[in-house]
Amino acid sequence: MADLISLVIPSFNEEENIDNTVNTLKTILDPEDFDYELIFVNDGSSDKTFDKVVDASERDERVKGISFSRNFGKEAAIFAGLQAAVGDACVVIDCDLQHPPALIHEMVAKWREGYEVVEGVKSSRGREGLFHKMCAGLFYRIMSRLIKIDMRSTSDYKLIDRKVVNVLLSLTERNTFFRALTFWVGFKSTKLEYDVEERKFGSTKWSFMSLMKYAINNATSFSTLPLQIVTFLGIVLIFGSVVLGIQTLVRYFMGNAQEGFPTVILLELLIGGFIMLSLGIIGHYLARIYEEVKGRPKYIVREHTKNIKGNI
Ligand code: UDP
Ligand code: MG
């Protein structure tokens, strides 16, 4: 029996892309020697994304769709797609085809060689603003340090074997970071480089604020180092105040004590700042624990096409 490859396609307000994406993928995948299914996960779009998916699904059995009750984010969409997938391997790919589908052929070839995770690595980031590029660069440098894996140029475009899919689905945490989790779980992995394509229709779904939120959430879901920084800052401050205290005493005994009003205010500001920063970091982790403890689902499915057999 031919291998079955499941394509997981998170889609948020992509009505202009669905038809083109389905057709392009079909043209590329039909000549291949494996079977495939296209699983579109509509992440609470406010446009006709899901209607387009349902239409496409009626024309072709292999097109499947899941629709969320609201926008839960790309991570949730990826996990819902993996949950619904029944393939021997899954490929996660963006709906706007910025991830070149022609690479799937090589991904599958690598998988057949025995690799369980085939990472798509960006050799260029496509057209992005300088500021965006700098922020992304900084984020990935910090992340690479925190989780001790080189995360630069990584993307969500990857093929993962059924074994890895099952491990990912068995994780109970709610705040997932798919891109880093595939490193964290281990397994035999390799990389394939690709150039990011231009988006043909629609526009990017990320605003500066949503990117910041994504960065902070992912950094804290993978490391507790920020919490330890709090301790470190505290120690530095205590050390600084001991030195300052000694200096003040020495001056006092030498009889040339200065009016210390500005110093006091400066110190107050500094200490206040550090305390607030530290509380903020602790608060953030607390919020994350709170979210996990509540145990709410990652996403809520409102409807799905009839051909979805997996358990979602
Ligand atoms: N996406 C999603 N939920 C969101 C935001 C984005 O499912 O809340 C999907 C989107 O439809 C696309 C992919 O994630 O298929 C990547 O999004 P986008 O192209 O906007 O990001 P960029 O390529 O600009 O990083
Ligand atoms: Mg895109």
Side-chain angles (χ1 to χ4, degrees):
M1 222 174 71
D3 295 320
L4 175 65
I5 306 292
S6 304
L7 270 74
V8 172
I9 315 166
S11 318
F12 177 50
N13 291 342
E14 303 279 9
E15 61 178 359
E16 297 139 301
N17 277 313
I18 302 289
D19 287 340
N20 178 51
T21 302
V22 169
N23 293 335
T24 313
L25 288 173
K26 274 195 203 171
T27 318
I28 290 178
L29 298 178
D30 277 342
E32 297 285 347
D33 62 349
F34 52 79
D35 294 331
Y36 63 89
E37 57 174 356
L38 309 181
I39 305 177
F40 286 89
V41 185
N42 169 34
D43 185 11
S45 305
S46 52
D47 64 3
K48 296 202 161 36
T49 301
F50 195 61
D51 298 340
K52 292 267 179 192
V53 173
V54 172
D55 288 349
S57 168
E58 273 158 15
R59 287 194 299 271
D60 187 333
E61 259 280 277
R62 294 169 301 181
V63 178
K64 304 175 179 183
I66 302 168
S67 189
F68 285 173
S69 60
R70 64 167 168 86
N71 180 257
F72 279 89
K74 188 179 176 188
E75 287 290 320
I78 291 175
F79 274 81
L82 293 178
Q83 185 78 56
V86 289
D88 303 300
C90 294
V91 174
V92 176
I93 185 167
D94 279 0
C95 187
D96 52 14
L97 295 184
Q98 284 193 288
H99 297 155
L103 200 72
I104 295 174
H105 176 84
E106 288 167 64
M107 286 183 158
V108 172
K110 288 278 177 204
W111 172 64
R112 284 177 173 161
E113 276 174 36
Y115 290 102
E116 289 144 330
V117 178
V118 186
E119 302 277 347
V121 177
K122 296 173 189 165
S123 54
S124 76
R125 293 190 59 96
R127 211 173 52 203
E128 277 176 347
L130 181 70
F131 183 65
H132 189 115
K133 222 173 241 175
M134 273 164 50
C135 288
L138 181 70
F139 169 62
Y140 284 114
R141 195 153 316 144
I142 296 173
M143 278 302 288
S144 305
R145 278 278 167 81
L146 293 184
I147 63 174
K148 297 181 187 66
I149 300 164
D150 188 5
M151 291 278 301
R152 270 166 301 164
S153 314
T154 54
S155 69
D156 289 327
Y157 189 25
K158 44 188 113 203
L159 177 146
I160 49 181
D161 182 75
R162 170 53 50 190
K163 285 198 282 283
V164 184
V165 174
N166 290 344
V167 170
L168 289 177
L169 290 176
S170 71
L171 300 178
T172 54
E173 64 197 277
R174 244 132 284 279
N175 282 293
T176 47
F177 185 28
F178 177 69
R179 205 170 288 193
L181 278 175
T182 55
F183 285 99
W184 181 84
V185 293
F187 289 94
K188 208 170 158 218
S189 75
T190 184
K191 290 178 183 166
L192 282 180
E193 288 209 348
Y194 71 89
D195 284 314
V196 177
E197 304 282 331
E198 292 291 321
R199 201 180 229 281
K200 281 207 193 71
F201 308 103
S203 56
T204 178
K205 306 293 177 289
W206 296 99
S207 63
F208 177 70
M209 281 311 283
S210 64
L211 269 179
M212 282 293 286
K213 215 171 123 192
Y214 183 72
I216 293 175
N217 276 346
N218 290 328
T220 51
S221 78
F222 257 88
S223 167
T224 49
L225 191 70
L227 275 177
Q228 284 142 27
I229 292 174
V230 173
T231 327
F232 176 73
L233 283 180
I235 292 170
V236 170
L237 269 185
I238 292 168
F239 181 73
S241 48
V242 169
V243 172
L244 212 80
I246 293 174
Q247 191 230 29
T248 315
L249 271 181
V250 170
R251 285 195 159 204
Y252 177 75
F253 285 120
M254 284 166 67
N256 59 352
Q258 276 186 354
E259 301 261 339
F261 203 58
T263 334
V264 172
I265 288 187
L266 261 176
L267 269 179
E268 291 244 306
L269 281 177
L270 191 74
I271 294 173
F274 277 134
I275 290 177
M276 280 162 115
L277 178 80
S278 316
L279 282 177
I281 296 175
I282 295 170
H284 186 79
Y285 275 96
L286 218 84
R288 303 296 300 275
I289 296 170
Y290 179 57
E291 276 165 28
E292 297 286 340
V293 165
K294 274 192 293 189
R296 291 200 180 147
K298 278 197 197 76
Y299 54 82
I300 299 169
V301 174
R302 187 172 75 220
E303 53 187 326
H304 58 78
T305 54
K306 286 192 250 355
N307 50 5
I308 292 272
K309 298 284 186 305
N311 173 28
I312 48 168

